[in-house]
Amino acid sequence: MRAALIGVLLAALPALAAAAPAFDADGYRRPPYRAPTPATLDGATVLDTEALVALRRRRPDTVLIDVYNATWAAGGFLLERPHPSLPGAVWLPNTGTTPLAPRWRAYLLDHLRAFTEHDRQRPLVFFCRSDCWLSWNAARRALAAGHAAVYWYPLGVDGWRAAGRPVSGTRPAPPGR
């Protein structure tokens, strides 16, 4: 009986997922996050790899923010090895999900204040992987928090590597800043 019920539920999952709206009431993308992304993000500047390199040359105080998800359990991130990211990036996992749990909203906003030293004009570049909505969501959250120089690098680590650029291992920024 239990196996039959599980089979029925598993068979219904694709239909349920298709029926769920792709965006919540506030306009944030819901799962699945790995899907084609738009070419624009209202209020943000979209960067390709060359534009990102030029921005960092022009504004070395630019904060690179990787928002790729990481498993959180027992009060910490579960990682076997460092996460490959853009050199100099800070990793704020789980801040692009929808709905965003209060813990992760506070984690994002606390770190943005710290990394920008309360300067809402300091450039913030959000990225993840190619075709990843997590960075789109996180960039929108920075805009909603009043940050004025928000950039989105939709090519993410995949595009960076494809351009022959190096990556480096990083660990998540600690919670509770």
Side-chain angles (χ1 to χ4, degrees):
M1 172 75 168
R2 185 172 185 220
L5 179 58
I6 291 172
V8 168
L9 290 173
L10 288 175
L13 282 177
L16 290 172
F23 296 88
D24 74 359
D26 296 320
Y28 292 98
R29 173 68 185 223
R30 294 181 182 189
Y33 300 114
R34 287 301 297 258
T37 55
T40 62
L41 172 54
D42 287 344
T45 301
V46 179
L47 302 171
D48 61 16
T49 302
E50 289 177 21
L52 175 54
V53 170
L55 173 65
R56 290 198 69 200
R57 221 180 269 129
R58 190 173 67 254
R59 290 289 309 262
D61 63 335
T62 297
V63 182
L64 301 177
I65 303 170
D66 189 334
V67 297
Y68 188 72
N69 282 342
T71 302
W72 175 268
F77 291 103
L78 302 181
L79 303 170
E80 293 181 14
R81 59 188 161 294
H83 164 67
S85 190
L86 279 62
V90 294
W91 184 19
L92 298 179
N94 308 339
T95 57
T97 60
T98 302
L100 186 63
R103 147 185 265 142
W104 300 119
R105 180 177 308 284
Y107 176 71
L108 173 65
L109 297 178
D110 289 349
H111 281 83
L112 291 182
R113 278 190 293 275
F115 294 142
T116 64
E117 299 170 333
H118 299 272
D119 177 3
R120 292 185 179 206
Q121 299 298 319
R122 181 169 289 170
L124 302 172
V125 177
F126 291 86
F127 67 95
C128 184
R129 298 288 177 271
S130 64
D131 292 327
C132 181
W133 286 86
L134 294 169
S135 57
W136 190 90
N137 282 345
R140 284 192 72 231
R141 290 186 175 110
L143 288 164
H147 291 274
V150 175
Y151 295 82
W152 178 42
Y153 179 54
L155 300 173
V157 174
D158 300 326
W160 188 257
R161 281 181 160 161
R165 299 280 177 173
V167 295
S168 62
T170 189
R171 298 263 180 204
R177 263 188 103 87

